[in-house]
Amino acid sequence: MWETHWVINTEGWGKMTSTYTATSANDYSPFHYSFIERVQKKCVERFSYEQYERILESRTYTTKSPLPSWGEVNFEHTTKRKYVFVGARSSPFALSKSVWIALKGHPESVTVKISSVGRDEEFFLDDIFQNRDCPTRCAIYNHPHIEDEKFQGWMKALDESTHIVVYGGEETVEYYKKRYPEKELIIHGPKFSFGVVTHDDVPRSSSRIWKDFSLTMGEGCLSPRFYFILGGKPANNHENTRYLGSHSQRDNERDFYQDHLPLGEKSNLAQGWFHCEFDLTDEIEVPDHLYGGMKFYWNEDRTEEDVIKFAEAYRGQISTVAIGSHLDLLHPLSRVGVPRVCPIGDMQTPDFTEQYDEQYDWRDFLV
Amino acid sequence: MEKIKNYMKPGSISDEETFENLVEELWKLHWDRNPVYKESTLHLFGQIEAQGWRSTPCMPISRFKENKAITIGTEKMPPKGELFQSSGTTQGDKSTHYLPYTDLYEASIAGSFLHLVLKEFRWLPGYNVVTVSPHVPQSSLLWMMDFLREQLGSWKLMVDPTKSEDLAELELLLQDSFDLEIPLIMFGTSLAMYDLFQKNRLNRPDDQPLHHESKIITTGGWKGRNIEISQYQLEGDLSYWLGLSRFNMMREYSMSEMSSQLYAYAAEVPEYKSMPWLRYRVVDPLTQKDVKEGEHGAIAFYDLANAYSCPFILTEDEGSIGPNGGLILHGRLGGAVEKGCSISVGDALGNKHRGLG
């Protein structure tokens, strides 16, 4: 029971002022496979549905302790549930989790709203559910607009839902909290991400650090807001800036985006390339909004233990932690509630099967 | 800096070669002693060798938002400096422009105004000067207006459109221009001028034209205010009410991060001109290469008068080169936060609504 609602209006709820973020995440980026492409490749082309299901099985049942972002859904009594997913931008998590819940939990319905320029998501979900014996009634709304008749369908789904899974910023979250106080809300935003590196990692991984930051220019939950530099003193600000803006990296970006972006977004990109500072102080600021910048914090006395304490203090507010050489942090961070730990360079492109970070392929951490 | 001052002197030879040499010297100076400019250049283009002013990389203007003092290295702060602040929707959007010395700024204001507005080479007494703007702290525009009033005015007045006592005094000056045939220079933000005249707060008999050498200069746009007439219409109305022709109406364009100004005669599509020490290009913002003739791009400025802070600036303003080689403005690029004098004035006038400029 699968239906896709095509809504042409692209001025919908999603504040899609930037095709850069959407298109680079989905279509244009030469540096990443977009989430959808990767899921399609891995789950549809390379694997049969049976294999795909086995991956889900293994990920579901072999993990000793499900991580917070995935563990809050109890599948014992889900058949009467009606899930609504409010996705933001290209919403990879909203998509992957909705599919996961539909396939594993067989709830009564799953409805997804996404704000995306492309339609790959619909095709992907169609692929997943078409010809499958999935009892769940599924629907996806792309840009439901208040003047469009599909909007009523979306609002009806919200009114009838039992669970609302929200991905978005503070305003979005507050809206759903106020409007649907009686429903069970599973809130995924706003959260922040950060990374942990050694001073040696910075020059070695500069292009990967930059990739994590630049895909959405720091304006996303998965973008690193800051890095802890542990150990020896890093190079001076000039040197580090030079590493991050390495010529080849910048040339690649420039050459590529020059042909793909409208003038205004090119300007934003050119102006925003610099919102990235080395702040060698001990005062850590956790930004309460998407500020589009990145800082590096270094203090000679700071240890891995301090990072773990920091993560514990912000339990429930952290989206992703990227680590460089500090492989020892993987499990401790997970134990204090960090839902995702990944190698530097992969923050923005979570793999469909990597949510259980304890299962991650260790070789990928060798950056 | 003396070489730049000489270049800016009225009547000096402002040839291409001298400009190239000055740019080259400034580039070396800022590469060596301006860490923010150097970082920006490294970030954008790596180690470069500039060959001519057109290939000298510009610093994105957003860097003024992050750094309190972008200056060539000064071991100790000079005793007299000025800190200008642009407007913005939040503190983080505000640019700060620190000028350790104001000599080049003053020279540029004077030279641009004398040559481009008054068509003169020296200050001539006998003007009444009125500037129209509410008080905005740390505004470079108000600083410039103060400077011009001091240089030019026999009678000087700063009008805050929100203050009735100012309006009464302005009416007297307007009357003097007619009765005593004293040319009047009135310089104000578009928003303040609109509030002053369009809202009919000023009683002005339409059969008493101002002196024919008077100049009315507006700056800034509507900046998100819901004003239905165009700036060109406002200029038409002003010229009618004050008994002047379109040739008495001019527009100014600059920003708090710059020390030089451009001026244009009022027109539906005004073409701005600058003095030789301020040159501009219209570029692709990613590559900083010139766009094709007639195409829109980001405006890049080479402002020698900005020698103390950063003379090479990539703005977030959209422009194109006009048929006469002047600069045509097309607004802000890519949803950049509106900035500049008019929004500050809009704030001061109690304007709550803001859109993208």
Side-chain angles (χ1 to χ4, degrees):
Chain A
M1 288 195 288
W2 178 254
E3 53 181 319
T4 299
H5 299 274
W6 300 109
V7 181
I8 304 302
N9 195 321
T10 56
E11 297 172 1
W13 282 14
K15 192 181 172 186
M16 292 302 295
T17 53
S18 167
T19 53
Y20 166 66
T21 51
T23 53
S24 60
N26 284 307
D27 296 324
Y28 293 145
S29 173
F31 314 108
H32 310 269
Y33 279 126
S34 77
F35 171 77
I36 295 304
E37 285 169 337
R38 292 195 305 149
V39 168
Q40 281 179 321
K41 281 199 166 97
K42 284 189 178 179
C43 298
V44 179
E45 293 171 9
R46 284 174 50 190
F47 302 106
S48 67
Y49 285 123
E50 288 68 32
Q51 286 173 307
Y52 171 63
E53 202 155 44
R54 274 205 296 277
I55 291 170
L56 287 173
E57 290 280 347
S58 66
R59 295 303 173 189
T60 310
Y61 295 115
T62 60
T63 305
K64 292 170 193 167
S65 53
L67 294 164
S69 68
W70 292 70
E72 76 276 275
V73 180
N74 181 347
F75 284 107
E76 287 178 14
H77 306 287
T78 55
T79 52
K80 297 289 181 194
R81 290 181 180 177
K82 296 173 182 176
Y83 285 99
V84 167
F85 287 80
V86 182
R89 295 201 169 168
S90 54
S91 309
F93 285 108
L95 287 166
S96 59
K97 196 165 174 180
S98 58
V99 169
W100 190 63
I101 285 175
L103 290 180
K104 298 309 300 175
H106 295 173
E108 190 173 324
S109 70
V110 168
T111 307
V112 188
K113 179 187 83 69
I114 56 173
S115 304
S116 176
V117 171
R119 290 180 175 170
D120 289 349
E121 293 86 347
E122 290 92 331
F123 290 128
F124 163 63
L125 290 170
D126 274 343
D127 277 349
I128 296 294
F129 287 102
Q130 230 171 30
N131 304 319
R132 289 181 62 80
D133 187 22
C134 175
T136 299
R137 182 162 47 85
C138 300
I140 184 164
Y141 289 87
N142 190 355
H143 290 293
H145 191 267
I146 197 161
E147 292 171 4
D148 194 288
E149 61 182 28
K150 304 298 181 193
F151 182 80
Q152 299 304 324
W154 164 244
M155 293 305 289
K156 189 163 180 274
L158 275 170
D159 290 340
E160 292 177 351
S161 67
T162 59
H163 291 65
I164 301 178
V165 187
V166 183
Y167 298 83
E170 281 176 34
E171 280 184 31
T172 308
V173 168
E174 283 307 309
Y175 170 83
Y176 285 97
K177 275 184 180 172
K178 280 184 185 167
R179 189 177 172 105
Y180 301 102
E182 78 287 359
K183 297 186 190 296
E184 188 165 330
L185 295 181
I186 300 168
I187 306 293
H188 283 281
K191 298 192 178 193
F192 69 93
S193 298
F194 64 94
V196 187
V197 289
T198 65
H199 69 289
D200 291 334
D201 287 332
V202 178
R204 204 166 50 201
S205 310
S206 59
S207 64
R208 293 172 69 82
I209 291 173
W210 186 253
K211 274 159 61 178
D212 280 340
F213 175 76
S214 68
L215 191 62
T216 55
M217 293 315 291
E219 294 182 348
C221 294
L222 291 168
S223 299
R225 308 287 172 86
F226 54 85
Y227 272 84
F228 289 110
I229 301 178
L230 300 182
K233 188 174 184 179
N236 65 40
N237 207 1
H238 267 174
E239 284 302 296
N240 282 323
T241 306
R242 194 162 61 81
Y243 293 140
L244 286 181
S246 70
H247 209 191
S248 57
Q249 169 79 1
R250 184 68 70 249
D251 278 350
N252 285 341
E253 290 182 15
R254 184 185 292 118
D255 291 348
F256 186 81
Y257 289 120
Q258 194 180 356
D259 295 331
H260 286 103
L261 293 181
L263 181 60
E265 291 185 28
K266 281 199 260 188
S267 174
N268 290 347
L269 191 57
Q271 298 287 341
W273 261 333
F274 305 95
H275 294 177
C276 173
E277 289 180 286
F278 278 76
D279 190 346
L280 304 184
T281 65
D282 198 29
E283 295 172 23
I284 299 163
E285 291 175 47
V286 177
D288 57 359
H289 60 286
L290 303 177
Y291 79 121
M294 177 165 72
K295 285 190 173 182
F296 287 78
Y297 292 115
W298 175 79
N299 179 295
E300 62 181 345
D301 298 327
R302 189 173 288 127
T303 63
E304 290 186 0
E305 194 58 37
D306 295 321
V307 174
I308 295 163
K309 282 180 186 165
F310 173 87
E312 191 161 22
Y314 285 92
R315 191 180 193 119
Q317 298 176 50
I318 297 169
S319 169
T320 289
V321 176
I323 58 177
S325 303
H326 296 91
L327 298 181
D328 292 347
L329 281 171
L330 179 60
H331 289 271
L333 284 173
S334 184
R335 276 195 290 275
V336 297
V338 175
R340 178 169 172 255
V341 183
C342 72
I344 297 167
D346 285 357
M347 294 180 85
Q348 295 281 356
T349 50
D351 194 286
F352 189 67
T353 57
E354 77 169 294
Q355 290 307 305
Y356 297 98
D357 46 274
E358 288 171 295
Q359 304 295 320
Y360 208 93
D361 187 344
W362 287 68
R363 284 170 303 176
D364 286 344
F365 284 94
L366 302 175
V367 292
Chain B
M1 299 307 164
E2 283 307 311
K3 285 183 191 171
I4 296 173
K5 271 194 239 177
N6 286 334
Y7 188 74
M8 294 167 73
K9 271 185 184 164
S12 70
I13 299 169
S14 50
D15 62 311
E16 189 75 8
E17 189 182 346
T18 312
F19 184 78
E20 286 285 16
N21 291 338
L22 288 170
V23 166
E24 191 180 340
E25 284 184 35
L26 277 181
W27 182 78
K28 284 177 182 163
L29 180 71
H30 283 265
W31 181 264
D32 290 340
R33 297 180 65 193
N34 182 340
V36 183
Y37 176 74
K38 185 173 183 178
E39 258 177 40
S40 307
T41 307
L42 281 171
H43 225 323
L44 270 175
F45 300 109
Q47 192 85 28
I48 61 118
E49 284 294 329
Q51 293 177 327
W53 72 274
R54 287 185 170 275
S55 67
T56 301
C58 288
M59 184 184 80
I61 200 166
S62 61
R63 303 237 69 186
F64 281 96
K65 292 176 187 168
E66 310 155 25
N67 298 278
K68 286 283 180 195
I70 297 174
T71 59
I72 50 175
T74 47
E75 280 71 28
K76 57 181 181 181
M77 287 292 180
K80 190 185 173 191
E82 292 288 342
L83 185 68
F84 299 114
Q85 193 168 50
S86 77
S87 60
T89 51
T90 66
Q91 184 62 34
D93 293 332
K94 291 177 192 285
S95 294
T96 51
H97 187 196
Y98 174 67
L99 286 180
Y101 305 96
T102 56
D103 53 345
L104 294 179
Y105 190 29
E106 289 171 9
S108 183
I109 293 170
S112 303
F113 198 84
L114 278 171
H115 188 80
L116 297 173
V117 179
L118 300 181
K119 311 294 183 193
E120 299 285 355
F121 288 101
R122 61 190 173 87
W123 297 115
L124 293 174
Y127 286 97
N128 281 346
V129 181
V130 178
T131 55
V132 185
S133 170
H135 179 70
V136 180
Q138 293 182 304
S139 159
S140 57
L141 177 68
L142 290 194
W143 197 96
M144 179 177 80
M145 287 176 167
D146 286 344
F147 176 78
L148 286 173
R149 276 203 315 273
E150 289 305 315
Q151 297 295 325
L152 267 172
S154 303
W155 287 93
K156 306 174 276 268
L157 174 65
M158 178 179 165
V159 174
D160 182 339
T162 61
K163 293 181 179 168
S164 55
E165 62 270 26
D166 284 3
L167 301 185
E169 206 168 341
L170 173 61
E171 280 168 14
L172 284 177
L173 276 185
L174 292 173
Q175 197 59 40
D176 280 354
S177 183
F178 173 72
D179 294 340
L180 306 177
E181 296 193 352
I182 301 171
L184 180 83
I185 290 172
M186 186 152 58
F187 196 150
T189 66
S190 302
L191 281 175
M193 292 287 214
Y194 173 86
D195 285 335
L196 195 62
F197 287 95
Q198 286 282 359
K199 289 187 175 175
N200 291 324
R201 300 175 61 163
L202 199 68
N203 294 317
R204 175 80 198 130
D206 54 13
D207 59 346
Q208 296 181 359
L210 300 189
H211 186 273
H212 67 278
E213 288 180 17
S214 297
K215 298 285 182 188
I216 310 298
I217 305 144
T218 57
T219 186
W222 298 142
K223 309 287 183 186
R225 265 189 59 184
N226 189 21
I227 293 173
E228 291 185 351
I229 66 167
S230 68
Q231 283 180 268
Y232 186 57
Q233 284 173 303
L234 171 68
E235 287 159 342
D237 291 346
L238 284 175
S239 64
Y240 175 76
W241 289 328
L242 300 172
L244 297 170
S245 79
R246 286 271 187 189
F247 294 105
N248 298 96
M249 316 299 293
M250 298 194 78
R251 285 193 208 173
E252 186 259 8
Y253 166 62
S254 189
M255 53 191 71
S256 68
E257 297 89 342
M258 285 169 60
S259 298
S260 295
Q261 304 78 39
L262 298 93
Y263 290 93
Y265 283 104
E268 265 186 284
V269 185
E271 225 176 292
Y272 289 85
K273 299 282 185 185
S274 66
M275 293 302 284
W277 57 84
L278 173 66
R279 306 207 180 183
Y280 46 81
R281 296 165 58 219
V282 175
V283 300
D284 180 301
L286 288 181
T287 60
Q288 294 195 12
K289 288 182 179 161
D290 289 342
V291 297
K292 289 178 189 158
E293 198 176 332
E295 281 187 5
H296 292 201
I299 302 170
F301 281 117
Y302 296 77
D303 183 5
L304 301 187
N306 243 22
Y308 293 116
S309 54
C310 181
F312 318 123
I313 296 174
L314 177 69
T315 72
E316 292 176 283
D317 287 350
E318 183 174 346
S320 62
I321 302 295
N324 301 315
L327 183 64
I328 296 174
L329 304 179
H330 302 285
R332 305 280 287 153
L333 273 170
V337 176
E338 64 183 89
K339 57 191 282 293
C341 44
S342 282
I343 186 64
S344 301
V345 173
D347 285 346
L349 291 172
N351 170 29
K352 299 295 181 194
H353 171 74
R354 288 202 195 101
L356 296 173

